[in-house]
Amino acid sequence: VTVSDCINPGEIEEGDLMAYVDGLAGEVVRRHIARCAACAREARELGSLQRSLVGQLYRFACPAPESLTGYLARDLDRNDTLVVAQHVRECPHCARELATLAREARSGPGWARRALQVLEAALIQPAGGWEPAAVRGGPGWLAGARRYQADEVEALVMVGDPAARGDRQDVTGLLHVGGAVPEEAGEVTAELYRDDGLVGLAQVSTRGQFSFGELSAGTYDVCLVWGAREIWLRGIEVG
Ligand SMILES: [Zn+2]
Ligand SMILES: [Zn+2]
């Protein structure tokens, strides 16, 4: 970075600012920009430039709108699903677009009649006192988990890297209702959000489990979409 006023030029590189603008910067860069007025200004200018110009270029490599819609509706074949899933993790534009599409899908004709119920799950810390049989790894697993509750719905969320793949981590979760895995667990969709973007979709298993693999550092929210209900589990720190 050729910013003369930078408080510590050794800490930040050219590409870091662009990554920051895209919401993909790591902790060190985010902290630097929080402290460094010069780099913060540079990032703001880069951001507005990107929104006006580079945003168009981004679109060049982006999947067609039908692909995003198809991905959301689970209509794509396996290969296309993987391509879109990978893309929305890396492209903040499409991630935001997908979030908008998901929101719109839940305000369509079928939904108008059954009002959407949005629940903000409360974080309960420490997570102890609840040891569902389905948790693999036992109490040790539970000790590091985040426990959420909204009415009779409970969820455990764990951030970890079982396969030790460097800086990427998995987010896994378990859904319970009234102390047991609900019968309809397999019909619940887990949506993964980062900033304003929808960056992942996962089906909850009939055992109440869901997972998102190999996530880069950042703060994520999970939204469990269940019938006409949204249950939000917020503030999941990865990395
Ligand atoms: Zn700086
Ligand atoms: Zn894109």
Side-chain angles (χ1 to χ4, degrees), residues 135-235:
V135 171
R136 291 163 300 167
W141 191 94
L142 194 64
R146 293 168 71 85
R147 179 182 170 192
Y148 290 89
Q149 186 162 21
D151 293 345
E152 80 285 14
V153 179
E154 280 190 287
L156 280 182
V157 176
M158 176 72 181
V159 179
D161 181 18
R165 284 160 309 215
D167 59 345
R168 309 230 151 196
Q169 294 193 303
D170 294 345
V171 166
T172 52
L174 177 69
L175 171 67
H176 268 208
V177 175
V181 175
E183 253 173 50
E184 328 86 87
E187 292 156 32
V188 181
T189 300
E191 296 176 342
L192 183 70
Y193 287 83
R194 179 184 169 135
D195 300 322
D196 296 329
L198 177 47
V199 295
L201 288 177
Q203 197 67 39
V204 176
S205 75
T206 51
R207 300 180 64 187
Q209 295 164 346
F210 60 89
S211 79
F212 298 97
E214 303 197 30
L215 303 174
S216 53
T219 305
Y220 294 83
D221 299 326
V222 167
C223 179
L224 299 171
V225 185
W226 185 353
R229 254 192 296 190
E230 282 183 2
I231 301 151
W232 285 88
L233 320 173
R234 295 197 194 266

Side-chain angles (χ1 to χ4, degrees), residues 22-24 58 68 71 82-96 98 168-171 192 194 197-202 211-216 220:
D22 286 337
L24 300 171
Y58 246 106
L68 290 180
Y71 174 65
L82 287 175
V83 168
V84 175
Q86 184 64 37
H87 183 84
V88 294
R89 281 191 180 196
E90 290 162 1
C91 176
H93 305 283
C94 287
R96 274 195 290 271
L98 198 62
R168 309 230 151 196
Q169 294 193 303
D170 294 345
V171 166
L192 183 70
R194 179 184 169 135
L198 177 47
V199 295
L201 288 177
S211 79
F212 298 97
E214 303 197 30
L215 303 174
S216 53
Y220 294 83

Side-chain angles (χ1 to χ4, degrees), residues 31-65:
R31 266 208 229 112
H32 177 99
I33 291 172
R35 288 182 296 122
C36 178
C39 287
R41 190 173 54 241
E42 192 83 358
R44 269 198 305 278
E45 284 169 12
L46 202 55
S48 58
L49 179 72
Q50 174 169 310
R51 276 188 293 280
S52 63
L53 295 170
V54 189
Q56 313 273 336
L57 292 178
Y58 246 106
R59 288 267 160 216
F60 189 71
C62 292

Side-chain angles (χ1 to χ4, degrees), residues 1 3 5-9 12 32-33 36-40:
V1 173
V3 185
D5 303 333
C6 180
I7 56 167
N8 183 2
I12 189 162
H32 177 99
I33 291 172
C36 178
C39 287

